Amino acid sequence: MRIFHGTTEIAGQMGILSSALVDKGHHSLGYNTFHSYLGYKDFLVNTNEQFLEENQTKLIDEYDLFHFHYNTTMCREFSDLEKIHAKQKKMIMHHWGNDVRFHEQAKINNPYAYTGDSPPNETMHDRLSKVTAYISEAIVQDYEVYEYVKNYYKKVHVLPIAIDLKFFKPAYPSKDKKVPLILHAPTNPAFKGTEHVEAAIEKLKEKYEFTYKRIEKMNHDEVIALYKEADIIVDQILCGSYGLLSVESMALGKPVVTFIRPDLVSTFPDQLPIVNANPDTVYDQVEQLLKNPELRESLGKQGRKYVESTHCKHVVVNKLLEIYCQIEKNN
């Protein structure tokens, strides 16, 4: 197959999925119009909306399947979808969270939820309505996102975040390290709950000796090098699910602190090796890791195994190809 990914690169996923599809013998490339300091570049054409709009006819002819991301397509008003549909090409939409996280709905099962990055409800509804006039199936990374879109599509598939493990050699925390390093890397402090994390850190400094680093606005390769030095990584404690930072941290063999909504715990594989913390419990959960070096090492090893079985791109791409085949059957 010739597979188009576009047009918003989230957490490097267009590039990672394309690389895995190429490994399987397909042609796959991401066209990205969202440019950030993270600097994703593999299996990507970093371009702009004007280029895609002007070249949509050529691209529609060139590709067999269109895998769109973050509720974006080649044209701002989704006018390309009718043309792709007319050519009988296959399409699927991949939602990632803030593109569809309806504000009041997010609070129903999660009093901590931050939705400041999501558009107004009316905008999200309007965009979803336009997309689903032509796209009947969607992909989400987990059941936190699933709830927001399940009533818009004929079918919604859950596909875990993918990671290329060849870039992540584990560096497990040493039990003998006297001054552990805690890292927190908020792309958006309000979304990640940074104020609550750092309030707990300041309180913990009164009792324990450790180093704390907050990482911001560094490209992806640079932050991975810093993650390797960490003994504890605190990710997002408001959303109710885990993201790429948690996956990358577990791949490096690090214990991860993040918030998993109680009602969603059972939707993940058994024995999810994450230290579950919200703003009310983050102090206690980080303290547990500071007091127990053996636990840090044990969770690091469990996390690496979990990522190998759940998030390795070769595992994920097999599930993705099954989804692609189902689109063929359902249309």
Side-chain angles (χ1 to χ4, degrees), residues 46-323:
N46 281 304
T47 184
N48 55 51
E49 293 171 341
Q50 182 180 349
F51 171 86
L52 292 177
E53 198 138 357
E54 290 175 352
N55 289 273
Q56 59 179 292
T57 300
K58 177 177 177 291
L59 292 166
I60 291 169
D61 288 339
E62 184 177 343
Y63 287 93
D64 307 310
L65 189 151
F66 291 80
H67 184 152
F68 293 115
H69 295 255
Y70 207 72
N71 222 8
T72 58
T73 71
M74 287 184 284
C75 300
R76 290 183 191 180
E77 293 302 315
F78 310 112
S79 58
D80 52 324
L81 298 184
E82 183 178 5
K83 298 167 188 174
I84 298 169
H85 181 76
K87 291 273 189 177
Q88 298 185 312
K89 304 289 181 86
K90 305 304 176 185
M91 295 180 280
I92 195 161
M93 180 60 77
H94 203 145
H95 295 290
W96 289 101
N98 288 334
D99 54 329
V100 291
R101 191 170 282 118
F102 288 90
H103 299 270
E104 292 77 20
Q105 187 179 351
K107 301 283 187 182
I108 293 173
N109 292 307
N110 183 5
Y112 309 106
Y114 172 81
T115 60
D117 294 334
S118 295
N121 287 347
E122 298 77 13
T123 301
M124 290 185 283
H125 172 74
D126 180 62
R127 293 174 68 84
L128 281 165
S129 299
K130 289 177 179 176
V131 164
T132 54
Y134 296 100
I135 301 179
S136 61
E137 297 190 36
I139 296 173
V140 295
Q141 69 188 59
D142 56 37
Y143 282 92
E144 193 271 329
V145 184
Y146 178 90
E147 288 298 317
Y148 304 114
V149 299
K150 67 179 183 181
N151 293 328
Y152 284 91
Y153 292 91
K154 184 167 70 175
K155 188 165 187 180
V156 179
H157 308 269
V158 178
L159 184 76
I161 294 170
I163 188 172
D164 192 338
L165 284 172
K166 73 181 179 186
F167 297 117
F168 294 85
K169 183 179 178 182
Y172 302 112
S174 170
K175 293 183 299 211
D176 303 320
K177 191 170 179 180
K178 302 298 182 186
V179 184
L181 171 62
I182 300 176
L183 288 186
H184 177 58
T187 47
N188 180 338
F191 181 81
K192 295 266 186 172
T194 299
E195 66 172 324
H196 304 287
V197 171
E198 295 190 339
I201 292 293
E202 289 304 309
K203 193 176 174 185
L204 286 162
K205 283 180 180 177
E206 298 171 6
K207 291 176 63 177
Y208 301 96
E209 186 179 6
F210 61 89
T211 303
Y212 170 72
K213 286 185 181 178
R214 174 174 169 177
I215 301 171
E216 289 185 288
K217 293 183 168 51
M218 296 177 66
N219 75 42
H220 188 246
D221 293 339
E222 290 174 329
V223 296
I224 295 303
L226 288 173
Y227 296 165
K228 290 179 182 177
E229 305 301 318
D231 299 281
I232 300 167
I233 294 182
V234 184
D235 193 10
Q236 54 199 39
I237 62 166
L238 301 181
C239 177
S241 183
Y242 65 88
L244 181 67
L245 171 57
S246 294
V247 176
E248 291 178 336
S249 301
M250 287 188 284
L252 290 168
K254 310 299 181 180
V256 176
V257 179
T258 197
F259 176 44
I260 309 295
R261 269 174 29 197
D263 61 305
L264 295 180
V265 170
S266 64
T267 68
F268 293 101
D270 291 341
Q271 298 177 322
L272 175 65
I274 276 176
V275 178
N276 199 345
N278 59 48
D280 297 324
T281 61
V282 64
Y283 175 92
D284 293 332
Q285 295 294 60
V286 175
E287 181 180 42
Q288 176 191 197
L289 292 171
L290 285 171
K291 290 166 65 174
N292 195 333
E294 290 80 11
L295 178 61
R296 298 199 298 263
E297 183 183 56
S298 172
L299 284 170
K301 291 178 178 177
Q302 291 174 49
R304 174 68 187 199
K305 290 179 180 176
Y306 175 78
V307 171
E308 288 174 349
S309 63
T310 303
H311 293 285
C312 171
K313 72 173 188 177
H314 302 299
V315 173
V316 175
V317 77
N318 287 334
K319 295 179 180 178
L320 178 59
L321 287 168
E322 289 177 10
I323 293 169

